[in-house]
Amino acid sequence: MQQQFNEVQIPDLLLPLLPASPGSSSDDYEGPFKFKILIDQHRTRNSWIYSPILNKVFIRVADPFPIDFKWNPQVNNLYVRATPLFSQPQHAQELVTRCIPHTRATYETNRDVPQYIWDHVIRCQSVNAEYYGNKEEKRHLNVLVPLGVPRTGMNTVRLLYSFMCQNACHTGMNQKPFEVVFTLEDEGGTVYGRKKLSVKVCSCPKRGKEKEENDFFKKMSFHGAALPNKRRKTKKVGKKSFTVISALDTRQYTAKIRTSSKQNLIFLLKRAYNIMAGDLLRYGPNEELEDCLYDLEKQLGKL
Amino acid sequence: MQQQFNEVQIPDLLLPLLPASPGSSSDDYEGPFKFKILIDQHRTRNSWIYSPILNKVFIRVADPFPIDFKWNPQVNNLYVRATPLFSQPQHAQELVTRCIPHTRATYETNRDVPQYIWDHVIRCQSVNAEYYGNKEEKRHLNVLVPLGVPRTGMNTVRLLYSFMCQNACHTGMNQKPFEVVFTLEDEGGTVYGRKKLSVKVCSCPKRGKEKEENDFFKKMSFHGAALPNKRRKTKKVGKKSFTVISALDTRQYTAKIRTSSKQNLIFLLKRAYNIMAGDLLRYGPNEELEDCLYDLEKQLGKL
DNA sequence: GTACAAGTAG
DNA sequence: CTACTTGTAC
Ligand SMILES: [Zn+2]
Ligand SMILES: [Zn+2]
């Protein structure tokens, strides 16, 4: 049930509305090259899961994760740097490094890998990847990759990243959430664009996503347990009709849309959800909006 | 409820009936010096818990654990060696060593401790403790301590041990259960006696003990879920009377004992439990005995 | 002492 | 995917 909700696929056109990290979207900027990162969540058979609402990827350790980079105009001497940083302000200055056991020569993922890479949580599969930062000098570890140019017929360049420690690694990240900051740079290190992506590396990506999305909704609807009483009833007439209450301008509009199939109903509910989720994130906390989202969540949960 | 049952204090006279490790008591032998290890479970304020039925100590990492050693006749040039070994046969030959993070210089429990001790899961607080074994040569790590002579008026020597890794330490014991083999030796390494004690080092000793004792009872009473139907009813007349069914000779004897206080009732129930637990362990699986034990467990659980 | 989090086995 | 284990926070 809740699961179904989590399968929501946000249309690409809505993606730009979602901040890199909820509440701190101001850190993102596309800059003169309209720098974008795209996550191909429609691909099935992914071993990872992306939560658009959290702008967060849930992935297993060492699994390859593709990111498509987009920039315009197409100059060919740009680089993208991926730097992991702890998300919580109180830990933001701590270095994100691999844990002690994962940093050992005997660990299988370090075999045939140069030692200076062992400490890096983020690896990029590109042969041109260069690893920067220094644990002793307290400079954040990161990996820099030349973007080159998109293959003919494409307007993006895809890179494969992998995360070499779990968030739970005791002597490493030790449960602290982190995000990857992608910066578009030139050879001189000048930054032209920045995009953030939160990541959770764990054994059960699906479980983690569901948990964190639920927490997010609970936090958003800060009236918590009081909500169920306030919830508007969904009328069930004929096939199925449903109520959408918009709060963009404080007034509420009710949409009654008789849908022709369950699939269409779900599609519409999700669509409505995504639109209002975008609004919520752009305009900040708003009780009416949260009510609508909560309502939709419950409706989707029951389907 | 179950808790109360676990508070059972087995009288000292019953202790010898309990094997060092259920099902493998033959590995224990007292030898010419009648070598014994005694665990002072009556002492309150212990940070650790001992399960007589499992012959197992549940303890937090690095907590001091006292063991009283007893031998006769009283010669004064004997030593006791403590060697941790994995309990499961398929792991028995693997070395029990500390995990990678706990083996680092930066770990606080290694401060001011010679490096050759860092690998040892078992430490002894005695200044005369000597650490043997070798990880590279695959010789089991152990700690050897001269026993000296009991203080005047005592017939035992107390040593304090501590366990420097948790069973759960990923890169160390990694959840595998282990036991400590105590051997009574002379200067030449000749072994005169051997006693085993299972140990679980964890964050919640009480929880661990309850869990493992329950598992043990479930395994013992292999008829499992069928038992509740077969359970004899406890008659409640006057104060409280209870039924004890002995199975030593296959026939069942019912004891109806009217007790004068709840405390006395509990004492009697526990006593009965311990007697039959000893029988069970000496004579092996026996349905009637297990029924009686199960009955008593339930009765104690309700008090 | 309870509830949660997250790796793990089946 | 479910259930269990076990460290951890409150
Ligand atoms: Zn790690
Ligand atoms: Zn350890």
Side-chain angles (χ1 to χ4, degrees), chain A residues 32-67:
Chain A
F33 290 100
K34 303 200 177 309
F35 181 51
K36 286 180 183 60
I37 64 174
L38 303 169
I39 285 132
D40 187 4
Q41 16 159 357
H42 300 280
R43 219 175 53 164
T44 50
R45 289 251 139 266
N46 283 339
S47 62
W48 46 269
I49 311 180
Y50 175 70
S51 166
I53 196 74
L54 302 169
N55 188 40
K56 189 162 186 171
V57 172
F58 298 78
I59 189 168
R60 288 194 194 81
V61 70
D63 271 8
F65 176 64
I67 302 184

Side-chain angles (χ1 to χ4, degrees), chain A residues 287-303:
Chain A
E287 193 168 351
E288 282 77 16
L289 258 176
E290 288 155 18
D291 276 3
C292 297
L293 286 166
Y294 188 91
D295 228 46
L296 284 165
E297 183 186 346
K298 286 296 163 197
Q299 287 187 57
L300 280 160
K302 283 172 194 154
L303 291 173

Side-chain angles (χ1 to χ4, degrees), chain B residues 133-148:
Chain B
N134 186 297
K135 219 155 70 162
E136 281 66 41
E137 301 173 14
K138 297 274 182 195
R139 289 187 288 108
H140 289 289
L141 305 194
N142 61 82
V143 53
L144 187 73
V145 184
L147 279 171

Side-chain angles (χ1 to χ4, degrees), chain B residues 168 175 200 203 207 211:
Chain B
Q175 310 285 11
K200 176 165 187 174
S203 297
R207 177 174 64 180
K211 168 69 172 60

Side-chain angles (χ1 to χ4, degrees), chain A residues 168 175 203 207 211:
Chain A
Q175 309 284 11
S203 298
R207 178 174 63 178
K211 169 71 173 58

